[in-house]
Amino acid sequence: MRIESITLRELEMRLKSPFETSFGVTQARRILLVEVVADGVAGWGEVTATEAPFYNYETTDTAWQIISDFIAPRLLGQDLNTASDGERFIAGIRGHQMAKAGVENALWCIEAQQRKMPLWKLLGGSRNEIACGVSLGICESPQSLVKNVEEALSSGYQRIKLKVKPGKDLDFVLAVRKAFPEISLSIDANSAYTLADADHLRAFDEFNMLMMEQPLQWDDIFSHAKLQKRMKTALCLDECISHSRHAEAAIDLGACRIINIKLGRVGGHTEARRVHDVCSQHSIPVWCGGMLESGIGRAHNIAMSTLSNFTLPGDVSASRRYWAEDIIDPEVEVTSRGTIRVPNTPGIGYAIRRDLIDRLTTRKQTRNVEAAVRVPVGQQLYPIAETGSN
Ligand code: OSB
Ligand code: MG
C-alpha cells in the first residue's frame, strides 16, 4: 500500500452524561480522527488521547502535532507491504503511542479492506462475539452508584467496574457489594494512591473483587509489585503498560495478575498483539480497556477483543451509553447477554458516517506526499536529522 494522504480531524462530541475519574470530570470529548488514503482506499483510526495530560502525558493537541510534524512526513509516499510495516518508519519517535496508534490502526483498516477481510480475522481473532463490561464513573453518593450498577446490570453487562478515589472508595464499594453479593466487580483508581496507602488498599480484599486496576502511580511497575505481594485481590495494570517489554517486566516482577490492553496506550494493533502474546505465554488474562472512544475507536477495540487471550469482559460498551448519535453505522449494540456480535464485513466492519463527521468537525488538516521527508534509498530511516536528539 502506497500512502497518499493523511487527514486529521478534530470533532467535538458531548457525552450523554459526565464521566468522573480520580483525575477529573469529562463532559465533552475532543475526538481526534485519522483518515489515511493508500492506493485510493481510505482507512480510519482514532487517537484516544484525552484533552488534558492527566491519564498519560499525551493530549489531543500533542497527538495532532506529532502526527502532523513527525509521523505523516515519514509515512507519506512510502510503499508498505502490510500495516505492521509502518512501525519501522516511526520507531525513532519516542513515546507518543496514542498518536502512533491512531495512524497505525488506520493502516490496518486499509489492509483489511484490500484483503477483503474483516479486521478481526486479519488480526488473527478467534471469536465472533465478545464479552462486555462497563466502567461506572465516580458518583455523588453510594446510593446513586448502586442505582447506576442496577441499571448497567439490567442492560446485561457481565462485569461492573467502579471508579474510585481517596474519600470515595470503601463506602461506595461496600454499598455495591451489599446490594449485589454475586456480581463480577472491580475497581479502578487511575493512580490515585501510593504504597503508603497499602493498609487502606488491603481493606478491599474483603469484597471478593475480580481485580483492582492501577491503584498506584502511572509509571511505577515496581511499587505495584510490592503492593501485589501484600494483597489477596489481583492487581491489573493499565497506565503502567506502554509496550510488551513493560508487560514482561510487570509479569516477571509479580506486579499484576491481569493486564488491561488499550490500543492507544501501546501504540496500535501490532504492539497490542505483542502484549497479548506475552501475557498469553505467561497465563496472564487480558481484557480491552476503553478511553470513551467514538465508534471508530470502538470498532478497533472490538476487533482486537477477538484475540484468544481476551478472556475477561472489556470496557467496550454500547454506543448509546456515551453518545446521542455515534459516527458509525450501525452503532455498537450490546445484547441482553452482555455481548457484542463482531461484524463480518471487510475492514472495521462499520460504515463511516462522513456527513455526521463533517458536522462535528472543528478542525481539519490534510498532509499529502509533498509533505514527505525525502530519505535517500538505503539510508537509515531514523532518526532523521531534523528531529534532533532525544
Ligand atoms: O482507566 O480505564 C480507564 C476513561 C478515560 C480514561 C481512563 C479510563 C477510562 C475508563 C472508561 O474507564 C472506559 C470506557 O471507555 O467506557
Ligand atoms: Mg483504567
Side-chain angles (χ1 to χ4, degrees), residues 1-7 34-45 75 78-84 102-119 122 269 300 346-349 354:
M1 61 175 95
R2 184 170 182 274
I3 314 294
E4 291 159 15
S5 70
I6 298 181
T7 299
V34 183
E35 180 188 10
V36 178
V37 176
D39 309 334
V41 178
W44 292 78
L75 285 176
Q78 303 291 354
D79 202 355
L80 309 179
N81 292 319
T82 62
S84 289
V103 178
E104 199 205 86
N105 293 347
L107 300 178
W108 279 95
C109 176
I110 293 170
E111 186 178 343
Q113 290 174 75
Q114 290 185 324
R115 294 186 191 276
K116 299 188 169 37
M117 281 172 87
L119 176 58
L122 180 62
H269 284 298
H300 281 283
I348 59 170
R354 285 180 179 271

Side-chain angles (χ1 to χ4, degrees), residues 11 38 40 60 64 116 139 152 211 229 313 353 359:
L11 278 58
T60 312
W64 182 291
K116 299 188 169 37
C139 279
M211 70 189 109
K229 287 185 182 63
R353 292 187 58 187
R359 268 191 278 140

Side-chain angles (χ1 to χ4, degrees), residues 25 27 72 76 90 124 134-135 159 163 189 263 268 327-328 365 373 380 388:
V25 182
Q27 174 67 76
L76 286 162
I90 57 175
V134 74
S135 173
R159 182 270 294 140
K163 291 289 192 180
L263 277 168
I327 57 176
I328 53 167
Q365 180 197 75
V373 173
Q380 192 185 347

Side-chain angles (χ1 to χ4, degrees), residues 14-35:
R14 282 194 84 68
L15 289 168
K16 272 185 170 174
S17 48
F19 187 76
E20 181 170 349
T21 67
S22 64
F23 55 77
V25 182
T26 306
Q27 174 67 76
R29 295 289 337 279
R30 292 174 61 194
I31 298 279
L32 178 48
L33 298 181
V34 183
E35 180 188 10

